Amino acid sequence: EEASMAKFRPRNITDFIHIIRRRKLVVFFVALVVLASAYIVISRLPSLYESRALILVSGSIYDRQANGAQIAAVTEQVTSRANLESIIERHNLNTAGAKTDAAVADLGKAVKLDTKYRSDSQGFPESFSLSYRHRDPKTAQQVVTDLVSAFNQANATLERQAVEEMKTIKAEMADIDAKLSGIGRNRSANAARS
């Protein structure tokens, strides 16, 4: 029984080096096959370019508006069917023979809009991250630029509203100041008569 059992001694690093030297053609052939396979797979992958935008939300917007309704409306507008259709037409993203519904659905899936919420106040966004991938880098960049423009338009609208509110408040303050000055003059006149 003992004669039929072979004893295996532990191998060390030099033993492995000797094995590799003896089988160098096999090792070379396996490495060549792995490299060639990797090259073929990588060369067949389509080139995709990703364009990203990070949109920071100012806290002062929420001072003027008790809730984030305006921001919610803008995020809905960014992914709305009408907005996506106009982007598809503008950048010729509709593939030949594809229906508009399918193109809108594809673009809606390709556009990533992630919201990061503030840690200090619940429910209010801190930032939005927009990204889009396409085979053409310029198209990817232009699509994200168009999507960001909705946020820019909302910003301009909020600024106009703030300016109008400030004008209204200043007019009300001037009116109240005039009334108070008139009341003060009347008191002074009445006090002088008495």
Side-chain angles (χ1 to χ4, degrees):
E1 238 178 66
E2 285 184 31
S4 65
M5 289 182 53
K7 292 186 178 180
F8 293 104
R9 65 179 176 83
R11 306 245 184 228
N12 59 25
I13 192 94
T14 56
D15 292 334
F16 287 115
I17 291 172
H18 289 297
I19 292 170
I20 291 173
R21 279 187 185 162
R22 278 183 270 156
R23 310 230 188 246
K24 62 183 163 193
L25 284 177
V26 173
V27 171
F28 176 75
F29 181 71
V30 169
L32 184 65
V33 168
V34 168
L35 287 173
S37 301
Y39 176 76
I40 290 170
V41 168
I42 289 172
S43 66
R44 291 187 180 180
L45 287 175
S47 297
L48 283 179
Y49 299 93
E50 183 176 70
S51 184
R52 294 181 184 195
L54 180 65
I55 302 154
L56 298 175
V57 179
S58 170
S60 61
I61 291 173
Y62 296 109
D63 295 341
R64 292 188 300 248
Q65 296 189 353
N67 59 27
Q70 181 77 22
I71 299 300
V74 172
T75 56
E76 285 296 316
Q77 179 188 356
V78 166
T79 56
S80 72
R81 178 180 177 81
N83 189 39
L84 294 179
E85 278 182 357
S86 69
I87 290 173
I88 289 169
E89 290 173 14
R90 201 172 311 123
H91 300 292
N92 201 18
L93 297 176
N94 199 352
T95 56
K99 294 182 178 178
T100 304
D101 292 337
V104 168
D106 289 344
L107 183 58
K109 288 177 189 174
V111 170
K112 303 288 185 240
L113 177 63
D114 298 320
T115 306
K116 182 179 177 188
Y117 292 96
R118 295 178 190 271
S119 60
D120 59 344
S121 60
Q122 288 188 329
F124 295 124
E126 177 180 307
S127 65
F128 296 96
S129 175
L130 262 170
S131 64
Y132 175 69
R133 290 183 182 181
H134 194 267
R135 292 178 185 220
D136 179 35
K138 287 189 177 193
T139 301
Q141 183 181 20
Q142 291 169 346
V143 168
V144 169
T145 301
D146 285 354
L147 293 169
V148 169
S149 71
F151 286 96
N152 289 338
Q153 290 170 356
N155 234 6
T157 301
L158 286 175
E159 283 183 37
R160 282 193 300 273
Q161 288 174 352
V163 167
E164 290 300 318
E165 286 176 16
M166 192 167 60
K167 286 179 182 177
T168 303
I169 290 171
K170 282 184 178 181
E172 288 175 5
M173 286 175 53
D175 186 42
I176 291 171
D177 193 32
K179 287 179 184 178
L180 287 175
S181 294
I183 292 171
R185 283 191 298 263
N186 286 342
R187 282 191 180 173
S188 297
N190 287 339
R193 287 185 211 156
S194 308

